[in-house]
């Protein structure tokens, strides 16, 4: 279990593969620890409602970063694929998301709420910077 072992990889991994269904949520905090702070690609499987797209994956990651007390300078969707139907109105999806400038956890103060920039769309290879201020649409 990578939540228990693997200390030699903390801060050194540039690509993380996470194929856990129905959710990767229990493993994301450790994945953020393994991630190279300057740049890391996170490949993860998750479930999303039928009408959602890559923004759903970014929302999921934003919430996970917040729970872990981390921020990220930039977040880019490199690829987003709806793999197959998982249940009625629920899809098994896979996302490759590039995280740039990942902060260490901040235990002393609550982290700012990451938000998606107003330029977000569902197109692959689009940049979705996460900022510390709310954006207006």
């Amino acid at each position: 279990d990578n939540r228990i072992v693997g200390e030699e990889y903390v801060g050194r991994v540039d690509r993380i593969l996470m194929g856990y269904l129905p959710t990767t949520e229990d493993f994301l905090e450790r994945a953020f620890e393994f991630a190279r702070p300057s740049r890391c690609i996170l490949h993860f499987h998750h479930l999303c409602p039928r009408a959602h797209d890559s923004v759903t994956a970014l929302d999921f990651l934003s919430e996970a970063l917040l729970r872990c007390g981390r921020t990220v300078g930039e977040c880019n969707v490199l690829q987003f694929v709806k793999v197959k139907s998982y249940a009625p109105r629920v899809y098994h999806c896979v996302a490759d998301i590039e995280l740039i400038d990942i902060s260490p956890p901040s235990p002393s103060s609550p982290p700012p709420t990451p938000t998606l920039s107003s330029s977000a769309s569902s197109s692959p290879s689009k940049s979705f910077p996460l900022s510390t201020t709310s954006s207006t649409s």
Side-chain angles (χ1 to χ4, degrees), residues 88-106:
R89 294 178 296 281
V90 177
Y91 271 90
H92 166 189
C93 298
V94 178
D96 281 328
I97 298 182
E98 176 184 44
L99 303 173
I100 298 173
D101 296 329
I102 305 164
S103 74
S106 174

Side-chain angles (χ1 to χ4, degrees), residues 18 23-30 32-33 42 44 46 56-72 103-107 109-114 130:
M18 303 181 73
T23 183
T24 60
E25 194 168 358
D26 292 340
F27 302 93
L28 280 170
E29 183 171 0
R30 187 62 166 167
F32 296 144
E33 290 176 11
L42 186 61
F44 71 100
H46 66 288
T56 303
L58 288 170
D59 287 342
F60 180 77
L61 267 182
S62 294
E63 291 169 12
L65 286 161
L66 180 64
R67 279 191 308 275
C68 297
R70 294 178 181 264
T71 59
V72 64
S103 74
S106 174
S109 62
T113 303
L130 294 177

Side-chain angles (χ1 to χ4, degrees), residues 4-119:
I4 299 168
V5 298
E7 288 303 312
E8 65 271 22
Y9 299 111
V10 170
R12 298 180 58 202
V13 180
D14 60 10
R15 183 162 175 82
I16 299 171
L17 307 175
M18 303 181 73
Y20 311 110
L21 281 180
T23 183
T24 60
E25 194 168 358
D26 292 340
F27 302 93
L28 280 170
E29 183 171 0
R30 187 62 166 167
F32 296 144
E33 290 176 11
F34 286 145
R36 180 176 290 150
S38 59
R39 180 184 180 268
C40 181
I41 296 173
L42 186 61
H43 172 93
F44 71 100
H45 295 246
H46 66 288
L47 300 179
C48 62
R50 177 175 238 146
H52 289 100
D53 51 24
S54 60
V55 174
T56 303
L58 288 170
D59 287 342
F60 180 77
L61 267 182
S62 294
E63 291 169 12
L65 286 161
L66 180 64
R67 279 191 308 275
C68 297
R70 294 178 181 264
T71 59
V72 64
E74 190 175 337
C75 190
N76 303 307
V77 175
L78 303 177
Q79 184 173 22
F80 179 83
V81 177
K82 287 183 182 176
V83 177
K84 62 182 178 180
S85 178
Y86 184 83
R89 294 178 296 281
V90 177
Y91 271 90
H92 166 189
C93 298
V94 178
D96 281 328
I97 298 182
E98 176 184 44
L99 303 173
I100 298 173
D101 296 329
I102 305 164
S103 74
S106 174
S108 60
S109 62
T113 303
T115 58
L116 298 176
S117 105
S118 59
S119 65

